[in-house]
Amino acid sequence: QGRGYKTALIGKYLKEYFDIAAYIPPGWTKFVATMRKKKGVWIDYSVVIGHSTPGKPGRGETIEDVAQYLTDFERDKAVEFLNEVKNNDAPFFLFFSTHAPHSPALPAAGDEELFPGYLYRARAYKEADISDKPEWVQKSLYNEEKEDEFHLNQLRSLQAVDRAIGAIMDKIEEMGKINDTVFIFTSDNGYIWGEHGLKAKTKPYDESIRVPLVIVMPGENMRRGEIEKRLVAANLDIPSTIFELSGKSAKNDGLSLVPLLRAGVIETVLREAGIETVLREAGIETVSWRSEFLIEGFGFNFSLPSWAGIRSEEWKYVEYANEKQEKEFYNLKEDPLEKHNLFSPSQSFDSLSEIDIEEISGRLNRIKGLTMIYTQPPPMKVGEPYEFRFEAWGGKKPYRWSVFDGRLPKGISLNEKTGVIKGTLKKAERRKISIKVKDSSADTVNRRPQSYVARFVLGSVE
């Protein structure tokens, strides 16, 4: 926006946005944030509409109980923004963020019966032997009939997204901007459809950490119709790419994808001569790029602990922040579906003798994000001394501990430096309480420490 672009965010902004609505972050010429009610469907929702300036947040107007089908409303607001841009003939940035195909994945009228008989049964669907997997995987429950129907509704709900993208592209073509616009299509997460007997997202397996990424970029010397196999961190690299394309310099942790999209003269010659692929297969890159990256998931409860890992082109290493400190390692060249965890007693590292696990673990420990190790404090007894230490990993020590929400039982205190709760319980009681840990780091952009909050039950068994 500061460089003269008209900017718009249309659709989903933050999952819990209703808690801070109608706040509008800086930098948006048009801001239309749709909010589903917690138990509502996609024809009964609220919307915040407004704008802000480059360095200052704004405050929007909240519209309640919108009845138009959600994806169609988001489409119409995106086209409305493009009409406003057309009248001003200004450069534009449109962030179109649909709720579909999130739960409840309500199909649009006319799409309810599409794809009859479709069943997904690919990759490691309901993997037969998960004895080598962490405990949380083995305890996961998968309702095949329920999930099959949900998968169908996800596909059905995406048909309205398809039509919305078509309408947006038609409008940009009508504006005469189709050959001057970069289109980036991706997803905010990878959603597991029964692989390893799991569902949903935030898992370390490739079905969850990989997302679609399609980029259409105009101009000469662009690579066309190719699949890039180098490791792209979409949530970091897309902002970096947009910064470079707009001529904006900004601190960030990603790599611009422009060098991968724009073939240089040498690459063009190599490609035309059929040599580039040969060089890449030999490990010789024509564009310098990362060979691995950090993957992380921050668990919400004891059934899915937080985890962190490193994914390279050939292997994946994962550690879990639970009491057992479980680990996974996969040889992705030989086992791309991740069926054989080499940390399982039934497996062997013989085929990966050149891999230094201790070195990888040490490297991960230096870069993984702050979280808490999930261990439920044991129950207390009235009148008896009690002591328990909360544990954290990742980030940068020293840590600072505090009560984020709720109150400690009477007679119990928390040491902010050690994370130890101790004392003598005065009376029989049980309380739900949130504990917060904060580290000593400072992130790249905001120079703030990392923090993490987890919820526990504290008190007596009586």
Side-chain angles (χ1 to χ4, degrees):
Q1 193 187 54
R3 295 186 62 82
Y5 280 71
K6 300 296 182 182
T7 58
L9 183 146
I10 311 292
K12 184 178 180 181
Y13 172 46
L14 293 172
K15 182 179 178 181
E16 307 295 336
Y17 181 57
F18 44 77
D19 287 337
I20 59 170
Y23 168 84
I24 298 175
W28 297 103
T29 310
K30 189 179 189 73
F31 188 87
V32 182
T34 48
M35 297 179 291
R36 291 186 296 145
K37 292 184 177 178
K38 289 186 178 181
K39 295 184 179 180
V41 291
W42 296 0
I43 49 174
D44 180 15
Y45 51 92
S46 302
V47 179
V48 170
I49 298 179
H51 65 275
S52 58
T53 56
K56 187 178 179 182
R59 193 81 186 164
E61 175 190 3
T62 302
I63 302 172
E64 303 282 355
D65 303 319
V66 179
Q68 185 182 8
Y69 179 69
L70 181 59
T71 306
D72 291 350
F73 175 85
E74 292 165 340
R75 172 203 64 200
D76 290 350
K77 288 300 178 182
V79 172
E80 180 183 287
F81 166 71
L82 292 171
N83 278 326
E84 295 166 1
V85 169
K86 179 182 177 182
N87 294 334
N88 290 300
D89 196 31
F92 67 90
F93 171 78
L94 170 61
F95 191 144
F96 184 64
S97 174
T98 66
H99 280 78
H102 283 75
S103 175
L106 179 73
D111 293 336
E112 300 95 337
E113 303 299 326
L114 293 177
F115 317 119
Y118 173 81
L119 289 174
Y120 175 80
R121 296 293 185 266
R123 294 185 64 82
Y125 181 84
K126 290 189 73 175
E127 183 181 346
D129 182 5
I130 55 174
S131 61
D132 64 320
K133 296 293 187 292
E135 186 176 42
W136 70 267
V137 178
Q138 298 182 43
K139 289 185 175 180
S140 296
L141 300 177
Y142 188 78
N143 186 322
E144 187 172 274
E145 183 178 353
K146 180 181 178 181
E147 293 304 316
D148 283 345
E149 182 62 22
F150 179 57
H151 300 162
L152 272 172
N153 284 332
Q154 285 189 299
L155 293 177
R156 291 163 178 160
S157 72
L158 282 172
Q159 305 315 298
V161 177
D162 235 12
R163 294 190 290 269
I165 292 173
I168 290 170
M169 296 191 73
D170 287 347
K171 175 55 64 174
I172 293 173
E173 187 168 25
E174 177 191 306
M175 294 163 61
K177 300 285 189 181
I178 199 75
N179 294 320
D180 299 316
T181 303
V182 178
F183 296 90
I184 302 175
F185 175 86
T186 189
S187 173
D188 70 337
N189 65 76
Y191 204 97
I192 287 185
W193 270 17
E195 294 92 348
H196 317 292
L198 300 172
K199 63 180 181 178
K201 53 188 178 180
T202 68
K203 314 298 193 298
Y205 305 109
D206 267 17
E207 296 87 3
S208 188
I209 67 169
R210 297 186 68 168
V211 298
L213 177 60
V214 179
I215 301 178
V216 179
M217 186 167 166
E220 296 182 7
N221 210 30
M222 292 297 112
R223 296 170 60 188
R224 305 292 180 194
E226 294 186 39
I227 296 176
E228 177 56 69
K229 295 184 178 180
R230 281 172 280 200
L231 296 173
V232 171
N235 55 339
L236 297 178
D237 296 346
I238 290 175
S240 300
T241 304
I242 293 170
F243 289 146
E244 179 168 346
L245 292 173
S246 66
K248 169 81 174 168
S249 177
K251 265 189 175 181
N252 60 90
D253 293 319
L255 298 174
S256 169
L257 299 173
V258 171
L260 301 186
L261 294 163
R262 182 178 290 147
V265 176
I266 295 176
E267 286 187 272
T268 303
V269 172
L270 292 173
R271 184 178 298 108
E272 290 175 350
I275 299 173
E276 186 192 34
T277 302
V278 176
L279 291 175
R280 189 172 297 176
E281 289 177 351
I284 302 171
E285 297 288 357
T286 50
V287 173
S288 178
W289 201 251
R290 62 168 69 89
S291 59
E292 61 184 39
F293 54 42
L294 172 70
I295 55 175
E296 294 181 289
F298 295 94
F300 305 109
N301 49 49
F302 291 92
S303 63
L304 175 57
S306 295
W307 55 269
I310 294 177
R311 166 64 152 89
S312 82
E313 293 178 344
E314 298 184 349
W315 50 261
K316 179 188 294 180
Y317 173 74
V318 180
E319 296 179 351
Y320 288 92
N322 57 11
E323 195 169 8
K324 291 185 176 181
Q325 299 281 285
E326 293 173 293
K327 299 178 181 180
E328 292 182 275
F329 192 96
Y330 295 99
N331 180 346
L332 299 177
K333 291 185 72 175
E334 297 180 5
D335 180 26
L337 301 185
E338 299 169 273
K339 291 185 176 182
H340 307 294
N341 175 18
L342 297 180
F343 266 101
S344 168
S346 62
Q347 302 298 326
S348 169
F349 278 98
D350 291 346
S351 61
L352 294 172
S353 57
E354 72 280 6
I355 299 293
D356 187 341
I357 297 297
E358 288 189 9
E359 189 275 334
I360 295 172
S361 178
R363 205 148 26 95
L364 174 62
N365 192 54
R366 292 191 291 272
I367 61 175
K368 64 188 180 186
L370 177 67
T371 188
M372 291 178 67
I373 297 175
Y374 281 82
T375 304
Q376 176 61 46
M380 306 171 182
K381 291 185 178 181
V382 176
E384 293 188 9
Y386 181 88
E387 183 171 327
F388 176 81
R389 180 189 297 272
F390 292 106
E391 300 283 355
W393 76 350
K396 183 181 180 182
K397 294 180 180 180
Y399 301 138
R400 283 288 184 270
W401 301 84
S402 62
V403 175
F404 179 77
D405 184 47
R407 289 185 301 164
L408 291 168
K410 288 185 178 180
I412 305 297
S413 62
L414 170 67
N415 187 310
E416 68 168 14
K417 293 183 178 180
T418 64
V420 171
I421 53 173
K422 64 185 302 184
T424 302
L425 190 66
K426 299 295 184 184
K427 66 176 183 177
E429 61 175 318
R430 284 168 62 85
R431 292 185 176 179
K432 292 181 179 179
I433 186 169
S434 295
I435 300 295
K436 180 178 182 179
V437 59
K438 186 165 64 173
D439 78 348
S440 302
S441 68
D443 68 51
T444 305
V445 178
N446 297 313
R447 313 307 299 171
R448 296 173 182 166
Q450 298 181 55
S451 63
Y452 188 82
V453 176
R455 197 162 181 79
F456 300 91
V457 176
L458 297 178
S460 62
V461 293
E462 292 86 2

